[in-house]
Amino acid sequence: MLKIWGRTNSVNVKKALWAAEELGLKYERIDAGLQFGVNNTPEYRRMNPTGLVPTIDDDGFTLWESHTIVRYLAARHGAGTLWPTDARARADADRWMDWAHSFSREFQRPVFWPLVRTPPEQRDAAAIAAAVKKCGEMLAVAEQPLKEKSYLGGASFTMGDIPLGCHLQLWMRLPIERPKLPGVEAWFARLCERPAYRKIVDIPLS
C-alpha cells in the first residue's frame, strides 16, 4: 500500500493527499513533522534527506517534494485525467504547478505563518499587510485564465490545479482583506464542490 508521511495541516502534504484521493488510491498516512517529530529520525532521513514532509513510499519506491509526488501519482494512475496526455496540455498544467512555488514563497511564511502560527504580540502588521498586497497582485496572474476557463489548464480539473488550490484555501479562509478576483473566487467555489478537496484541503486553519 502507498504510504504518505506528513501531518494533515501541512499545505504540502495536502497536495499529495488530495491527489491520492482524487485518484481513488488506498494509502496509509503516517504523522510526521512539527509536533509529531519523526522527520528528523535517521530512518526518515534515509528516505528524505531534507527532513521535510511529505515523503511517499510506493511499493519500495520512495519520493519527496510535493509537486513531484503529485506528478508521479498522476502519471502512474491518472493518465487522461489528472495527467494530461496531450503534451501541450500537460505543459500548461506543469507551468501552473511551477508558478505555485512563486506564490508560496510570498504567502506561506510572510502571511499564513504570522496570522495562524505566530502569537499576536509577535506579529508585524505592516509586513503582513505588504505581503497580503503582494499576494493579491500575484493572484491576478491566475485571474486572467480563470476569467475564461473553469480550471487553470482549461475545461477540466488536472494536476495543475492542485498546488495553487491548496494555497488558495488558506488565502480564502484567512481573516484578511482580499482584492476582488471573480475568476479565482469561482475557481475556489468549484474546488470546494469536490469531495476530495473538502475532505483533505478545506479543513480548519492551524
Side-chain angles (χ1 to χ4, degrees):
M1 181 183 293
L2 174 67
K3 294 182 179 179
I4 304 174
W5 279 264
R7 63 191 193 280
T8 56
N9 66 342
S10 161
V11 69
N12 288 323
V13 174
K14 286 179 180 180
K15 296 169 187 177
L17 294 174
W18 182 16
E21 290 280 344
E22 290 284 355
L23 293 164
L25 304 180
K26 293 183 178 180
Y27 62 89
E28 175 189 2
R29 187 188 61 79
I30 302 160
D31 281 326
L34 288 185
Q35 72 271 31
F36 299 107
V38 176
N39 57 310
N40 286 319
T41 62
E43 293 78 14
Y44 188 89
R45 290 279 183 157
R46 279 195 289 271
M47 293 189 299
N48 182 347
T50 72
L52 301 175
V53 291
T55 298
I56 69 168
D57 182 323
D58 187 21
D59 195 24
F61 175 63
T62 59
L63 193 63
W64 42 274
E65 284 295 331
S66 59
H67 294 194
T68 301
I69 291 170
V70 171
R71 288 183 176 102
Y72 166 76
L73 294 176
R76 187 170 188 199
H77 303 284
T81 56
L82 286 194
W83 177 261
T85 51
D86 176 78
R88 292 182 177 181
R90 189 165 61 250
D92 198 8
D94 271 330
R95 167 174 51 192
W96 287 109
M97 294 181 76
D98 289 344
W99 185 83
H101 282 302
S102 299
F103 180 78
S104 173
R105 283 193 297 271
E106 302 295 337
F107 173 68
Q108 289 301 129
R109 294 287 178 173
V111 177
F112 175 75
W113 274 76
L115 290 177
V116 177
R117 297 178 180 171
T118 302
E121 66 275 10
Q122 297 178 19
R123 297 172 187 167
D124 184 336
I128 294 170
V132 168
K133 182 176 184 296
K134 172 67 174 177
C135 288
E137 293 169 351
M138 292 190 72
L139 283 174
V141 174
E143 173 71 8
Q144 296 307 307
L146 290 170
K147 286 192 299 187
E148 300 176 355
K149 303 175 183 178
S150 295
Y151 298 95
L152 287 171
S156 301
F157 175 81
T158 70
M159 64 183 185
D161 295 286
I162 289 179
L164 188 59
C166 286
H167 294 289
L168 184 69
Q169 184 268 341
L170 304 177
W171 170 259
M172 294 297 291
R173 299 307 187 199
L174 283 172
I176 56 176
E177 186 173 345
R178 289 172 289 272
K180 291 297 295 180
L181 297 169
V184 170
E185 292 164 13
W187 176 52
F188 178 63
R190 281 188 287 275
L191 295 181
C192 287
E193 294 173 356
R194 306 186 73 84
Y197 191 81
R198 293 197 300 270
K199 176 182 177 180
I200 298 297
V201 183
D202 199 17
I203 61 176
L205 306 185
S206 64

